[in-house]
Amino acid sequence: MSPNHCVATLTRLSTDTAHQGTGVSYRSRGTLLIVCDGRFDASLLHEVGLPGPTVVVSTGPLSHEDVPGDMDMCHVQGRVTNLRGWLGEFSLDLAGASESDARGISPHGDGNFDMVIDLSASPLIERSVPPFGYFAPRDANELASALEECRNLVGGFAKPKYFHYELGLCAHASFGQPGCTRCLDVCGADAIRSEGDRINVEPHLCQGCAACTLACPTGALSFTGPTRESLLAQVEQAIGSAGSANPVLIVHPPAVQTPTVEAHECVGLAVEPLAAFGEELWLAALARGAGRVVLLADGRVPEETRTLIEARVEVARTMLDACGHGADAVSVVENLEDARALSSRGVVSNRREDVPLDSTEDSPLPAHHKRALLTRSLARLESADGFEPRTLAAGSPLGTIVVDQERCTLCSACAKICPTAAIRYTDTTESGLAQLAFAEELCVQCGACGSGCPENAISLQPRIASLPVRGFWQVVSSDPLANCLDCGRGFMPSKLLDANIRQTQAAGMPPAAVEQMKRCPDCRHRRINEG
């Protein structure tokens, strides 16, 4: 992919409306920063010209005869160590210079530049999706093209805000313990940052590839145009309009026409970008009557996004194979010929009509919710006979946890930390037991429980299990409650009490303090009050 590849496009606005509207706006005054190593040859600028005031920062000198007399250009000898920002708001750091000195080289009071041409041997911004207004040409022809683009990037511009973030669904971190980083790992624009227990997406850097929404296991990040709800409605409409049962659903870019195949009827669904149509929608289409889902990822799909789609397809195929529905019910292809070849093959039609796809009393989440859509669709596609658990690739959205019984003290930290409430701690005097229960259906394999376990007793196991296993609470650790020395009531897990006593003794606390620990809080307070 070209280092200057952009997924989104900008819409030009009039000066009066540049900062209005609900989208994301940019304002470029035409100021250009050129960065290079060594001596800069300004003669390269003669033919194309400059978009506006230009500052050249180079590690080598710039002689006066290099500068055309009619060009508004100045030179700063120095080395740029860091570059950040986007069209209209680029800023830099200079080696050996203070922040104020670095900002002072801009002709504007805010210290920013509008566009950047980076001629450094190693580009300062190495991303597959660079910010608008940044160019890293590698030869004279690319430089001329970059300068021409810069001349067209003066004024007001806007693009949509492509994402919606719902903090309550995010499993990035919990109580300071690290969890899911899938969106950060796949963002080619480097638009996502970790901020404590949440993430922050910079809308000026996001260019709408939708890779983050495909990778997100909970739906905390969702694509806004089109939304998952609207795509689900389009899927149902396409399948319902088919003239035959179990049609092949071909998901393709808008510029591609659905191929005609004699053996099976095909219905098309134009989606841009393709990653907005995630695995939960692939499975939902099959659960709602599609005989096969074919994803057409041609040259318009960025390479990184295509790689992610292919990885998610492999996970989906493992799930479908385990469910007995047929692994090849979902495929990704590069061209129409491959789509046509797949569409002519037999389709899969086994699904359980007795399994509801709408909200139930036990699971009130709406049908278009990502997690609900995934799990309900799998339930309908699963064989009634069930199956043995099948291992999935690391990073899959389903799985269980393995608790080391020797290490686990049932301190309940994991239950407090789990951002999806997949772990539950209970203790009752009646049973005399402390228990950790786990709901596999709720687990997104974020890893926060393992990160926060003080005993390192928890590890992840990505897998798909049959509904009787994943759909119900399973006890993963238990321990008898320790009885209070005074009242005899069970008040905490025995192993946790033993661990606390060992720590207290190691700290050199007196025996009386250890004895106090063997009493329940009520009896402890009573003894303190009695003196």
Side-chain angles (χ1 to χ4, degrees), residues 181-200:
T181 61
R182 292 173 176 95
C183 61
L184 286 88
D185 297 339
V186 302
C187 181
D190 197 25
I192 308 176
R193 292 285 183 270
S194 173
E195 293 187 354
D197 284 356
R198 61 167 294 158
I199 54 119
N200 181 59

PDB file of all heavy atoms in Angstrom, residues 181-200:
ATOM      1  N   THR A 181      -6.802  -4.773  23.800  1.00  0.00           N
ATOM      2  CA  THR A 181      -6.107  -3.757  22.991  1.00  0.00           C
ATOM      3  C   THR A 181      -6.325  -3.995  21.505  1.00  0.00           C
ATOM      4  O   THR A 181      -5.569  -3.487  20.673  1.00  0.00           O
ATOM      5  CB  THR A 181      -4.595  -3.761  23.281  1.00  0.00           C
ATOM      6  OG1 THR A 181      -4.052  -5.050  22.930  1.00  0.00           O
ATOM      7  CG2 THR A 181      -4.299  -3.472  24.741  1.00  0.00           C
ATOM      8  N   ARG A 182      -7.361  -4.722  21.139  1.00  0.00           N
ATOM      9  CA  ARG A 182      -7.520  -5.121  19.744  1.00  0.00           C
ATOM     10  C   ARG A 182      -7.663  -3.931  18.804  1.00  0.00           C
ATOM     11  O   ARG A 182      -7.113  -3.927  17.701  1.00  0.00           O
ATOM     12  CB  ARG A 182      -8.726  -6.046  19.619  1.00  0.00           C
ATOM     13  CG  ARG A 182      -8.551  -7.418  20.296  1.00  0.00           C
ATOM     14  CD  ARG A 182      -9.879  -8.164  20.248  1.00  0.00           C
ATOM     15  NE  ARG A 182      -9.816  -9.515  20.774  1.00  0.00           N
ATOM     16  CZ  ARG A 182     -10.112  -9.864  22.018  1.00  0.00           C
ATOM     17  NH1 ARG A 182     -10.441  -8.915  22.889  1.00  0.00           N
ATOM     18  NH2 ARG A 182     -10.069 -11.117  22.419  1.00  0.00           N
ATOM     19  N   CYS A 183      -8.407  -2.903  19.230  1.00  0.00           N
ATOM     20  CA  CYS A 183      -8.592  -1.743  18.343  1.00  0.00           C
ATOM     21  C   CYS A 183      -7.274  -1.004  18.138  1.00  0.00           C
ATOM     22  O   CYS A 183      -6.961  -0.562  17.026  1.00  0.00           O
ATOM     23  CB  CYS A 183      -9.668  -0.815  18.887  1.00  0.00           C
ATOM     24  SG  CYS A 183      -9.316  -0.113  20.518  1.00  0.00           S
ATOM     25  N   LEU A 184      -6.484  -0.854  19.201  1.00  0.00           N
ATOM     26  CA  LEU A 184      -5.193  -0.186  19.079  1.00  0.00           C
ATOM     27  C   LEU A 184      -4.259  -0.960  18.161  1.00  0.00           C
ATOM     28  O   LEU A 184      -3.466  -0.374  17.415  1.00  0.00           O
ATOM     29  CB  LEU A 184      -4.538  -0.006  20.449  1.00  0.00           C
ATOM     30  CG  LEU A 184      -5.124   1.064  21.370  1.00  0.00           C
ATOM     31  CD1 LEU A 184      -6.260   0.496  22.211  1.00  0.00           C
ATOM     32  CD2 LEU A 184      -4.057   1.645  22.286  1.00  0.00           C
ATOM     33  N   ASP A 185      -4.353  -2.284  18.229  1.00  0.00           N
ATOM     34  CA  ASP A 185      -3.431  -3.135  17.463  1.00  0.00           C
ATOM     35  C   ASP A 185      -3.661  -3.057  15.960  1.00  0.00           C
ATOM     36  O   ASP A 185      -2.733  -3.333  15.186  1.00  0.00           O
ATOM     37  CB  ASP A 185      -3.566  -4.591  17.924  1.00  0.00           C
ATOM     38  CG  ASP A 185      -3.169  -4.783  19.384  1.00  0.00           C
ATOM     39  OD1 ASP A 185      -2.433  -3.936  19.915  1.00  0.00           O
ATOM     40  OD2 ASP A 185      -3.623  -5.780  19.990  1.00  0.00           O
ATOM     41  N   VAL A 186      -4.879  -2.709  15.523  1.00  0.00           N
ATOM     42  CA  VAL A 186      -5.190  -2.784  14.095  1.00  0.00           C
ATOM     43  C   VAL A 186      -5.362  -1.430  13.429  1.00  0.00           C
ATOM     44  O   VAL A 186      -5.547  -1.369  12.213  1.00  0.00           O
ATOM     45  CB  VAL A 186      -6.463  -3.623  13.848  1.00  0.00           C
ATOM     46  CG1 VAL A 186      -6.302  -5.027  14.409  1.00  0.00           C
ATOM     47  CG2 VAL A 186      -7.696  -2.948  14.436  1.00  0.00           C
ATOM     48  N   CYS A 187      -5.297  -0.329  14.193  1.00  0.00           N
ATOM     49  CA  CYS A 187      -5.558   0.987  13.601  1.00  0.00           C
ATOM     50  C   CYS A 187      -4.372   1.447  12.761  1.00  0.00           C
ATOM     51  O   CYS A 187      -3.315   1.804  13.290  1.00  0.00           O
ATOM     52  CB  CYS A 187      -5.856   2.016  14.688  1.00  0.00           C
ATOM     53  SG  CYS A 187      -6.211   3.659  14.035  1.00  0.00           S
ATOM     54  N   GLY A 188      -4.533   1.457  11.444  1.00  0.00           N
ATOM     55  CA  GLY A 188      -3.464   1.876  10.539  1.00  0.00           C
ATOM     56  C   GLY A 188      -3.205   3.362  10.562  1.00  0.00           C
ATOM     57  O   GLY A 188      -2.157   3.825  10.104  1.00  0.00           O
ATOM     58  N   ALA A 189      -4.147   4.136  11.111  1.00  0.00           N
ATOM     59  CA  ALA A 189      -3.991   5.590  11.186  1.00  0.00           C
ATOM     60  C   ALA A 189      -3.401   6.036  12.514  1.00  0.00           C
ATOM     61  O   ALA A 189      -3.150   7.221  12.713  1.00  0.00           O
ATOM     62  CB  ALA A 189      -5.341   6.269  10.977  1.00  0.00           C
ATOM     63  N   ASP A 190      -3.184   5.092  13.431  1.00  0.00           N
ATOM     64  CA  ASP A 190      -2.666   5.411  14.770  1.00  0.00           C
ATOM     65  C   ASP A 190      -3.543   6.465  15.432  1.00  0.00           C
ATOM     66  O   ASP A 190      -3.051   7.383  16.091  1.00  0.00           O
ATOM     67  CB  ASP A 190      -1.214   5.892  14.680  1.00  0.00           C
ATOM     68  CG  ASP A 190      -0.497   5.830  16.025  1.00  0.00           C
ATOM     69  OD1 ASP A 190      -0.907   5.026  16.869  1.00  0.00           O
ATOM     70  OD2 ASP A 190       0.462   6.609  16.237  1.00  0.00           O
ATOM     71  N   ALA A 191      -4.848   6.308  15.266  1.00  0.00           N
ATOM     72  CA  ALA A 191      -5.802   7.301  15.770  1.00  0.00           C
ATOM     73  C   ALA A 191      -6.316   6.980  17.163  1.00  0.00           C
ATOM     74  O   ALA A 191      -7.043   7.780  17.747  1.00  0.00           O
ATOM     75  CB  ALA A 191      -6.993   7.404  14.812  1.00  0.00           C
ATOM     76  N   ILE A 192      -5.960   5.810  17.715  1.00  0.00           N
ATOM     77  CA  ILE A 192      -6.525   5.362  18.980  1.00  0.00           C
ATOM     78  C   ILE A 192      -5.447   5.379  20.050  1.00  0.00           C
ATOM     79  O   ILE A 192      -4.339   4.894  19.844  1.00  0.00           O
ATOM     80  CB  ILE A 192      -7.134   3.959  18.845  1.00  0.00           C
ATOM     81  CG1 ILE A 192      -8.116   3.916  17.662  1.00  0.00           C
ATOM     82  CG2 ILE A 192      -7.841   3.554  20.130  1.00  0.00           C
ATOM     83  CD1 ILE A 192      -8.699   2.544  17.399  1.00  0.00           C
ATOM     84  N   ARG A 193      -5.775   5.939  21.188  1.00  0.00           N
ATOM     85  CA  ARG A 193      -4.856   6.035  22.315  1.00  0.00           C
ATOM     86  C   ARG A 193      -5.503   5.429  23.562  1.00  0.00           C
ATOM     87  O   ARG A 193      -6.711   5.487  23.745  1.00  0.00           O
ATOM     88  CB  ARG A 193      -4.503   7.496  22.605  1.00  0.00           C
ATOM     89  CG  ARG A 193      -3.665   8.156  21.528  1.00  0.00           C
ATOM     90  CD  ARG A 193      -2.214   7.675  21.585  1.00  0.00           C
ATOM     91  NE  ARG A 193      -1.385   8.371  20.600  1.00  0.00           N
ATOM     92  CZ  ARG A 193      -1.182   7.965  19.370  1.00  0.00           C
ATOM     93  NH1 ARG A 193      -1.803   6.862  18.946  1.00  0.00           N
ATOM     94  NH2 ARG A 193      -0.403   8.628  18.546  1.00  0.00           N
ATOM     95  N   SER A 194      -4.651   4.856  24.410  1.00  0.00           N
ATOM     96  CA  SER A 194      -5.099   4.356  25.702  1.00  0.00           C
ATOM     97  C   SER A 194      -5.093   5.500  26.697  1.00  0.00           C
ATOM     98  O   SER A 194      -4.109   6.226  26.823  1.00  0.00           O
ATOM     99  CB  SER A 194      -4.161   3.238  26.183  1.00  0.00           C
ATOM    100  OG  SER A 194      -4.485   2.844  27.500  1.00  0.00           O
ATOM    101  N   GLU A 195      -6.214   5.668  27.399  1.00  0.00           N
ATOM    102  CA  GLU A 195      -6.328   6.692  28.426  1.00  0.00           C
ATOM    103  C   GLU A 195      -6.937   6.078  29.679  1.00  0.00           C
ATOM    104  O   GLU A 195      -8.138   6.145  29.909  1.00  0.00           O
ATOM    105  CB  GLU A 195      -7.174   7.873  27.933  1.00  0.00           C
ATOM    106  CG  GLU A 195      -6.528   8.667  26.808  1.00  0.00           C
ATOM    107  CD  GLU A 195      -7.304   9.923  26.453  1.00  0.00           C
ATOM    108  OE1 GLU A 195      -8.405  10.122  27.005  1.00  0.00           O
ATOM    109  OE2 GLU A 195      -6.804  10.693  25.612  1.00  0.00           O
ATOM    110  N   GLY A 196      -6.080   5.441  30.473  1.00  0.00           N
ATOM    111  CA  GLY A 196      -6.559   4.782  31.680  1.00  0.00           C
ATOM    112  C   GLY A 196      -7.420   3.586  31.351  1.00  0.00           C
ATOM    113  O   GLY A 196      -7.015   2.692  30.601  1.00  0.00           O
ATOM    114  N   ASP A 197      -8.635   3.575  31.890  1.00  0.00           N
ATOM    115  CA  ASP A 197      -9.537   2.448  31.667  1.00  0.00           C
ATOM    116  C   ASP A 197     -10.338   2.578  30.382  1.00  0.00           C
ATOM    117  O   ASP A 197     -11.227   1.769  30.115  1.00  0.00           O
ATOM    118  CB  ASP A 197     -10.513   2.311  32.840  1.00  0.00           C
ATOM    119  CG  ASP A 197      -9.848   1.706  34.071  1.00  0.00           C
ATOM    120  OD1 ASP A 197      -8.667   1.339  33.982  1.00  0.00           O
ATOM    121  OD2 ASP A 197     -10.506   1.601  35.117  1.00  0.00           O
ATOM    122  N   ARG A 198     -10.048   3.580  29.561  1.00  0.00           N
ATOM    123  CA  ARG A 198     -10.790   3.777  28.330  1.00  0.00           C
ATOM    124  C   ARG A 198      -9.819   4.045  27.186  1.00  0.00           C
ATOM    125  O   ARG A 198      -8.609   4.173  27.373  1.00  0.00           O
ATOM    126  CB  ARG A 198     -11.758   4.949  28.475  1.00  0.00           C
ATOM    127  CG  ARG A 198     -11.067   6.285  28.773  1.00  0.00           C
ATOM    128  CD  ARG A 198     -12.030   7.433  28.592  1.00  0.00           C
ATOM    129  NE  ARG A 198     -12.425   7.567  27.187  1.00  0.00           N
ATOM    130  CZ  ARG A 198     -13.534   8.171  26.776  1.00  0.00           C
ATOM    131  NH1 ARG A 198     -14.367   8.700  27.655  1.00  0.00           N
ATOM    132  NH2 ARG A 198     -13.824   8.261  25.497  1.00  0.00           N
ATOM    133  N   ILE A 199     -10.384   4.113  25.990  1.00  0.00           N
ATOM    134  CA  ILE A 199      -9.596   4.510  24.828  1.00  0.00           C
ATOM    135  C   ILE A 199     -10.118   5.854  24.327  1.00  0.00           C
ATOM    136  O   ILE A 199     -11.238   6.256  24.656  1.00  0.00           O
ATOM    137  CB  ILE A 199      -9.646   3.455  23.700  1.00  0.00           C
ATOM    138  CG1 ILE A 199     -11.108   3.134  23.329  1.00  0.00           C
ATOM    139  CG2 ILE A 199      -8.920   2.188  24.107  1.00  0.00           C
ATOM    140  CD1 ILE A 199     -11.465   3.432  21.926  1.00  0.00           C
ATOM    141  N   ASN A 200      -9.304   6.520  23.557  1.00  0.00           N
ATOM    142  CA  ASN A 200      -9.728   7.774  22.935  1.00  0.00           C
ATOM    143  C   ASN A 200      -9.387   7.702  21.454  1.00  0.00           C
ATOM    144  O   ASN A 200      -8.249   7.377  21.080  1.00  0.00           O
ATOM    145  CB  ASN A 200      -9.027   8.965  23.574  1.00  0.00           C
ATOM    146  CG  ASN A 200      -9.468  10.283  22.950  1.00  0.00           C
ATOM    147  OD1 ASN A 200     -10.639  10.633  22.967  1.00  0.00           O
ATOM    148  ND2 ASN A 200      -8.520  11.007  22.379  1.00  0.00           N
TER     149      ASN A 200
END
